[in-house]
Amino acid sequence: MRIPRPRRVFAQVLAVQLAITTGVTILATGLFLAPFGSQLDDQAMRRALAIAQTAAEPDVARDLVATEPSASGPVQHEAERIRRATRALYVVVMDTHGVRWSHTNPAEIGYHVSTDPGRVLAGHEVMEIDTGTLGRSARAKVPLRDDRGDIVGAVSVGIAYGSVRDQLFGAVPGMMLYAGAALAVGVLAALLVSRSVRRRTHGVAFADISALLDEREAMLHGVREGVVACDRRGRIRLVNDEARRLLTLDADATGHTPDEALPRGRTADVLAGRVDGADLLTVSGGRVLVANRMPTRDGGTVVTLRDRTELELLGRELDSTQGLLDALRAQGHEHANRLHTILGLIEIGRHDRAAQLIAGVAHTHRSSAEQIAERVRDPLLSALLVGKSAVAAERGVPLRLSPATLLAERVVDPRDLVTVLGNLIDNAVDAVAGHRPSGPFIEVELRAEDTTAVLRVADNGPGVPPEMREQVFTEGWSTKPPDHRPHGRGIGLALVRRLAERYGGTARVAARADGGAVFTVVLPEALALDDMADDTADDNAPVVELAASGESR
């Protein structure tokens, strides 16, 4: 009959542990009993040797030489006394011819011994397990010497082997009791371990575990979300491919803490659990990530990361577009007012004044756009300045270019500069509009230093206190209240610093001399090498005010 093989993990573990425990117990018992029997044999032979050495006295040697073998002789008398005192099986004294002078059975006296006495009569002590006239026994033989040291016979002593076997068998029940107790403890431990394994494996089979592991690997490395798992001591134990890409982790990140595997910052704090909350925003390598941290039953954590860089950029573009739409709507109202004014001038016959008004508006728009294009020759950056000026003007904040502004059309990646400049202008507009100083303004400076682009945005808002000038670049930090926007607050300046660091540059904030803040971003290698001769700023150039209405403010 074939015994069914257990399929569950805990059942297989239990069966294996029981088999191992039983086998080890039987083997240990056998390994103990085997040398134990040999040890008892050796003890019996050494005991017989000690008795024989005691019986080989000089008096016995003298009696052996001086008398004849007899059941009532002194040799027999002394040998029997020693046998009874030591409880030996026999004490036999023989002469040099192997004839017995003493024996437990007096009838054997005078007859030749049943075993060869050659070795002992040659002067050697002998220990052995052998069979004689009295049965199997543990024997010892020693030479019998006279006063001059000459061998005159030998003494043979035997210990009944039955007593040795009785000692061995007597030890077996105790050994089996200990072995049974050890087996019971092993079985109990196996049951406890199997219950723990059953609880941890949820009763699944080995084949199911293999399939689950394969599915887990396929899922972790196939999803487009980053997954980072940490153990209870905070060390990374699993990172999927997407997480390695998003966090730019090395291949040996496993086994290290987030502080060891990542640069200092909010991303490491989120992974280490020092920041609480859901859908936590963080910036890593210029990417905007949304992190969620979930604890596991074993005390570890699993952090999921979603890349929201594109969504963040789209959201900011949507904000900019919405601002431009609001500005265009306001411009539409303003242009409608101008048209009504021109119509009124025509109706009252003031044609010359109407013509002057039209020419002035057109000239102002054209000159402002021409000056922007002349100083900022990259179309994306110049278009950004025009659009941001409209948004700023709608909020009552004039946006102007610094006289030192001059940037040729040789930007390596204009999108990065657009991101940096757009975030700095947005923050400046919010600061000035919320502070509402007298004579509000924002000044933008873009200039080239060899292949380095320097962007500076100054405002006369409330400024940034010295103790907060590093904190403002931390992702997730903002002085503005949370709003309804899906991308939240506290990302813009963090992106600016990460972009600057990607170029090997810096982003810092300082105080303006007359109040306010000055944000300066230095981007090395952001400009190409051609047309460098054209990038010479005119220190006497006037300040260009970018007024959305077409009139200087």
Side-chain angles (χ1 to χ4, degrees):
M1 181 178 178
R2 184 177 180 181
I3 300 176
R5 182 181 177 182
R7 292 181 53 83
R8 303 294 182 184
V9 174
F10 78 92
Q12 293 186 16
V13 171
L14 177 61
V16 170
Q17 287 185 325
L18 290 178
I20 292 176
T21 302
T22 304
V24 169
T25 302
I26 294 174
L27 180 62
T29 304
L31 292 176
F32 178 81
L33 289 178
F36 183 66
S38 300
Q39 183 180 5
L40 289 178
D41 289 345
D42 184 70
Q43 289 178 355
M45 290 186 293
R46 292 188 179 279
R47 180 186 170 199
L49 178 64
I51 296 173
Q53 291 172 342
T54 302
E57 299 176 348
D59 292 342
V60 175
R62 286 192 293 269
D63 292 338
L64 178 67
V65 174
T67 62
E68 296 293 329
S70 171
S72 58
V75 175
Q76 169 71 1
H77 177 74
E78 183 64 17
E80 285 298 298
R81 185 188 67 79
I82 294 174
R83 182 186 68 80
R84 288 191 296 269
T86 59
R87 296 182 181 181
L89 178 64
Y90 62 85
V91 178
V92 174
V93 180
M94 68 187 81
D95 59 15
T96 55
H97 300 289
V99 176
R100 300 186 187 96
W101 285 64
S102 68
H103 197 275
T104 304
N105 183 5
E108 297 290 337
I109 298 176
Y111 292 95
H112 198 279
V113 294
S114 59
T115 58
D116 183 17
R119 289 188 61 198
V120 65
L121 293 176
H124 301 288
E125 293 182 347
V126 178
M127 292 189 301
E128 60 185 359
I129 302 293
D130 203 355
T131 302
T133 57
L134 296 178
R136 189 170 180 81
S137 61
R139 300 181 178 186
K141 300 175 184 180
V142 297
L144 182 62
R145 301 177 186 272
D146 60 11
D147 294 334
R148 295 177 299 180
D150 296 331
I151 297 176
V152 296
V155 178
S156 177
V157 177
I159 303 295
Y161 194 78
S163 63
V164 178
R165 187 170 56 249
D166 291 342
Q167 292 181 30
L168 178 61
F169 290 160
V172 169
M175 283 297 304
M176 296 306 295
L177 180 62
Y178 285 115
L183 181 62
V185 172
V187 170
L188 179 61
L191 289 172
L192 294 177
V193 171
S194 65
R195 288 185 61 185
S196 176
V197 171
R198 180 179 183 179
R199 183 174 62 255
R200 292 176 178 271
T201 59
H202 303 284
V204 298
F206 272 116
D208 297 335
I209 290 180
S210 178
L212 288 173
L213 287 175
D214 292 339
E215 292 170 1
R216 189 201 71 161
E217 290 298 315
M219 178 184 66
L220 286 177
H221 297 289
V223 297
R224 301 306 299 170
E225 286 191 3
V227 179
V228 179
C230 299
D231 59 18
R232 66 178 63 189
R233 287 178 287 186
R235 297 180 303 185
I236 299 174
R237 61 183 177 188
L238 184 146
V239 182
N240 71 344
D241 297 339
E242 183 67 6
R244 291 187 187 277
R245 184 185 71 85
L246 296 176
L247 300 176
T248 319
L249 289 175
D250 296 331
D252 59 349
T254 304
H256 295 80
T257 62
D259 294 326
E260 297 170 343
L262 295 169
R264 293 181 58 185
R266 180 178 170 84
T267 303
D269 293 339
V270 170
L271 265 64
R274 292 188 288 269
V275 181
D276 295 327
D279 293 334
L280 299 172
L281 287 175
T282 182
V283 178
S284 176
R287 298 184 182 91
V288 180
L289 306 178
V290 178
N292 283 281
R293 195 168 183 270
M294 179 66 66
T296 58
R297 294 179 61 183
D298 62 351
T301 56
V302 175
V303 180
T304 59
L305 303 167
R306 285 174 290 160
D307 189 356
R308 292 190 58 175
T309 306
E310 296 297 330
L311 182 60
E312 178 71 19
L313 294 177
L314 289 175
R316 292 188 176 275
E317 290 181 6
L318 180 61
D319 286 346
S320 299
T321 304
Q322 184 63 44
L324 288 175
L325 289 176
D326 294 340
L328 290 175
R329 188 177 298 110
Q331 290 293 310
H333 289 291
E334 188 172 355
H335 282 294
N337 292 332
R338 290 198 185 100
L339 288 176
H340 293 156
T341 302
I342 294 171
L343 178 60
L345 290 173
I346 293 174
E347 288 182 350
I348 64 176
R350 300 293 302 272
H351 301 90
D352 53 345
R353 188 67 181 92
Q356 291 176 2
L357 178 59
I358 295 173
V361 171
H363 175 73
T364 301
H365 278 289
R366 183 170 60 255
S367 61
S368 177
E370 288 176 354
Q371 288 176 347
I372 294 174
E374 181 181 354
R375 297 211 184 169
V376 182
R377 299 174 187 175
D378 185 86
L380 288 180
L381 292 173
S382 58
L384 174 72
L385 289 172
V386 173
K388 291 298 183 182
S389 66
V391 176
E394 178 64 21
R395 300 182 63 180
V397 181
L399 180 65
R400 67 192 188 192
L401 284 180
S402 167
T405 296
L406 184 61
L407 193 65
E409 190 179 356
R410 57 188 182 88
V411 181
V412 175
D413 191 348
R415 293 174 299 178
D416 291 340
L417 272 69
V418 166
T419 299
V420 172
L421 190 60
N423 279 294
L424 294 180
I425 293 176
D426 286 343
N427 285 337
V429 170
D430 289 340
V432 175
H435 184 57
R436 297 188 180 279
S438 59
F441 75 92
I442 297 173
E443 185 175 81
V444 178
E445 179 181 330
L446 294 89
R447 57 187 174 85
E449 296 179 356
D450 293 334
T451 58
T452 300
V454 179
L455 288 73
R456 182 174 290 112
V457 176
D459 64 72
N460 61 343
V464 180
E467 66 275 8
M468 299 173 62
R469 288 176 184 171
E470 281 299 317
Q471 194 174 2
V472 295
F473 292 102
T474 304
E475 56 263 37
W477 186 91
S478 177
T479 58
K480 305 168 189 175
D483 53 25
H484 64 280
R485 292 183 296 178
H487 51 276
R489 293 285 192 180
I491 296 297
L493 289 179
L495 278 174
V496 169
R497 170 158 283 186
R498 291 301 172 90
L499 281 172
E501 292 174 349
R502 184 191 298 176
Y503 279 88
T506 58
R508 62 183 184 273
V509 58
R512 183 174 168 272
D514 297 329
V518 179
F519 284 84
T520 304
V521 179
V522 180
L523 302 176
E525 307 300 329
L527 304 177
L529 291 174
D530 55 339
D531 297 335
M532 289 181 58
D534 296 337
D535 287 355
T536 305
D538 185 2
D539 294 335
N540 297 321
V543 174
V544 179
E545 296 227 10
L546 310 180
S549 63
E551 298 176 357
S552 298
R553 292 174 181 255

